[in-house]
Amino acid sequence: MAEIAESAVVRRASTRDATRTRASAADTGGALTPLADIPLPSWRALSERAAEPNGYYLPDWELAVNASAGGRGGVAALSAWGDASQLIGLMPVISLWRACKIPLPALVSADPYGTLSTPPLDRELAEDAAAGLLQQARRDGAHALILRDISLDGAAMKSFASVLQRDGMQPIVLQSHVRACLDASRDADELLQEALGAKKLKDLRRQRNRLAEHGAIRFDVACEPNDVAAALETFLKLEASGWKGQRGTALGQHAGDAAFIRRATEGLAETGQCEIVTLRAGDTPVASAIVLRHQDRAFYFKLGVDERFAKFSPGVQLTLDLTRHLCADPSIRLVDSTANPGHTMIDPIWRGRLAIGDVLIPLRRRDPVVALIHAALGLRKALRAPARHLVRLIRKHREKSS
């Protein structure tokens, strides 16, 4: 895991430093490549060789996000190339201004519509790839890189830390948390017994039997492109029917987001990297989820449920079946829940934990602008925390009143 570096610098960063760099902070400059211009065969080949899996930076997913997902398009790319013009590293990025409205020269990993932004680095040349990405960021005029939602203990972060150490620097962890994951190499029933205990499992079986009164329970897995397309429409309807629909955050409620998810799931289904699972009671779908696959890892993207069946815990029932399904698959070793920390549904079921965080990567030694960037991010976080708390209180009040 990256260590927290001291924020002190040799000399105090001044207002003049910020003013001098303001002009270059509003965009990503001219040295970067538009993400859509990265050669697709090279990107696909890099994904196969990636040192660390990330389904959200697979080309079919991220290019679909970039093409139409609301507020996530127009992304640039840092890229590193090895011998024979082989792509060995890639990082979709936006400016710090666009990401945080902070007018300082830094690049930020682009939001892939998922909570993991670990960049693909060639497993045989991971440190060379990390060094190449940092060098291109310097050429673009950036003073720092901010890696959002990166696996802190993974191969990519270790490569960046090693490159920085050679240059007398170290990464700064801005925030970190742990989230649920599943050790899919284990026996599912044994794992669920340990996690939930006999009493909870008995209660869930009772709920499942009551759900079966509405029709025979069936767990369907859509893998083929046509099946995935049909299952996606079921998922979109379920998601929009619940609290996400009430908040206006369901994928199907926004034309751009709907276009992105249809394109992304279709493209990934073609390569066997997406499946949609659905739990049915008779002919009625009661829960559905999108799952991405990359190398030996799966990613639990989103869940939609029919809240008319809430008393039977359809989301939990689906997750139990998904656990058994993935543990029975020898090609999957780990499943990332990609959920928020402390998630009330998934945390008690999947007891493994992944360390995830936001990391500030300095690009030059003793750079006072890095201290400015660090301080500005800290101030932004402090100002946003009360606003987020207020939003949560308002939402809870509305939910109780409805």
Side-chain angles (χ1 to χ4, degrees):
M1 180 185 292
E3 296 180 353
I4 299 178
E6 295 293 331
S7 60
V9 292
V10 173
R11 66 180 180 86
R12 184 180 297 276
S14 67
T15 304
R16 183 172 58 186
D17 292 317
T19 304
R20 186 166 56 244
T21 58
R22 183 181 297 266
S24 63
D27 55 47
T28 56
L32 304 183
T33 303
L35 185 66
D37 290 349
I38 296 294
L40 187 56
S42 297
W43 191 347
R44 289 190 192 279
L46 173 61
S47 295
E48 294 176 2
R49 304 190 312 274
E52 191 173 350
N54 182 2
Y56 299 119
Y57 274 162
L58 289 169
D60 287 294
W61 182 272
E62 177 59 9
L63 287 173
V65 171
N66 187 53
S68 62
R72 295 173 172 86
V75 170
L78 293 172
S79 56
W81 299 83
D83 296 337
S85 299
Q86 184 180 64
L87 183 66
I88 61 172
L90 180 69
M91 184 185 299
V93 292
I94 58 176
S95 68
L96 183 59
W97 172 255
R98 176 175 169 184
C100 304
K101 294 298 184 286
I102 294 175
L104 292 171
L107 295 172
V108 182
S109 55
D111 179 0
Y113 221 123
T115 54
L116 187 66
S117 297
T118 301
L121 307 177
D122 190 309
R123 69 174 66 93
E124 300 297 331
L125 299 163
E127 290 189 15
D128 290 344
L133 296 177
L134 299 185
Q135 184 57 35
Q136 190 182 13
R138 293 187 191 99
R139 290 199 302 268
D140 189 61
H143 286 243
L145 276 181
I146 297 157
L147 309 179
R148 297 188 289 190
D149 292 322
I150 188 171
S151 172
L152 295 177
D153 296 327
M157 190 65 249
K158 290 176 181 177
S159 297
F160 282 109
S162 179
V163 171
L164 290 177
Q165 186 177 31
R166 293 202 302 258
D167 293 333
M169 298 181 287
Q170 58 183 326
I172 302 168
V173 176
L174 300 172
Q175 70 84 19
S176 64
H177 61 270
V178 295
R179 69 182 181 214
C181 66
L182 169 68
D183 179 358
S185 67
R186 295 189 55 192
D187 176 78
D189 289 328
E190 180 182 291
L191 186 150
L192 292 172
Q193 180 72 30
E194 289 179 7
L196 296 173
K199 183 178 179 180
K200 181 62 176 178
L201 286 173
K202 181 179 179 180
D203 185 51
L204 288 168
R205 284 194 296 271
R206 178 184 59 80
Q207 291 180 348
R208 192 179 185 94
N209 290 335
R210 290 183 60 198
L211 178 60
E213 294 173 3
H214 296 267
I217 304 300
R218 190 169 81 251
F219 177 72
D220 294 333
V221 181
C223 301
E224 298 300 321
N226 289 339
D227 295 334
V228 166
L232 177 63
E233 299 309 313
T234 298
F235 167 85
L236 292 174
K237 289 178 182 177
L238 284 173
E239 187 188 39
S241 72
W243 62 266
K244 293 180 186 178
Q246 294 175 0
R247 291 185 183 178
T249 59
L251 285 167
Q253 292 177 296
H254 306 277
D257 290 349
F260 133 66
I261 196 62
R262 288 187 176 105
R263 171 179 165 177
T265 53
E266 179 183 0
L268 290 176
E270 292 281 358
T271 57
Q273 294 174 307
C274 175
E275 60 189 27
I276 298 180
V277 295
T278 306
L279 188 71
R280 288 183 167 84
D283 293 330
T284 304
V286 297
S288 181
I290 299 172
V291 179
L292 308 186
R293 290 169 171 257
H294 183 205
Q295 297 180 3
D296 63 354
R297 193 167 297 188
F299 303 85
Y300 196 173
F301 173 53
K302 279 185 180 291
L303 170 69
V305 302
D306 187 334
E307 294 186 2
R308 295 176 300 171
F309 296 89
K311 63 183 177 181
F312 308 124
S313 304
V316 175
Q317 301 290 349
L318 175 76
T319 301
L320 297 181
D321 283 356
L322 178 63
T323 300
R324 297 183 179 100
H325 167 63
L326 293 172
C327 284
D329 187 338
S331 68
I332 297 298
R333 184 184 61 84
L334 185 84
V335 189
D336 185 346
S337 71
T338 67
N340 293 330
H343 194 281
T344 56
M345 188 277 284
I346 198 67
D347 274 31
I349 303 173
W350 293 358
R351 293 301 183 94
R353 295 295 180 262
L354 286 174
I356 304 294
D358 298 342
V359 180
L360 176 64
I361 304 289
L363 297 179
R364 297 169 182 81
R365 293 183 64 187
R366 303 184 180 91
D367 185 352
V369 178
V370 173
L372 280 175
I373 294 167
H374 191 190
L377 290 167
L379 178 60
R380 178 178 181 269
K381 181 180 179 181
L383 292 174
R384 286 167 61 89
R388 287 181 173 177
H389 180 65
L390 179 60
V391 168
R392 285 194 294 268
L393 290 177
I394 292 172
R395 283 177 174 172
K396 286 182 180 179
H397 176 73
R398 287 177 176 174
E399 288 168 0
K400 288 180 180 179
S401 302
S402 60

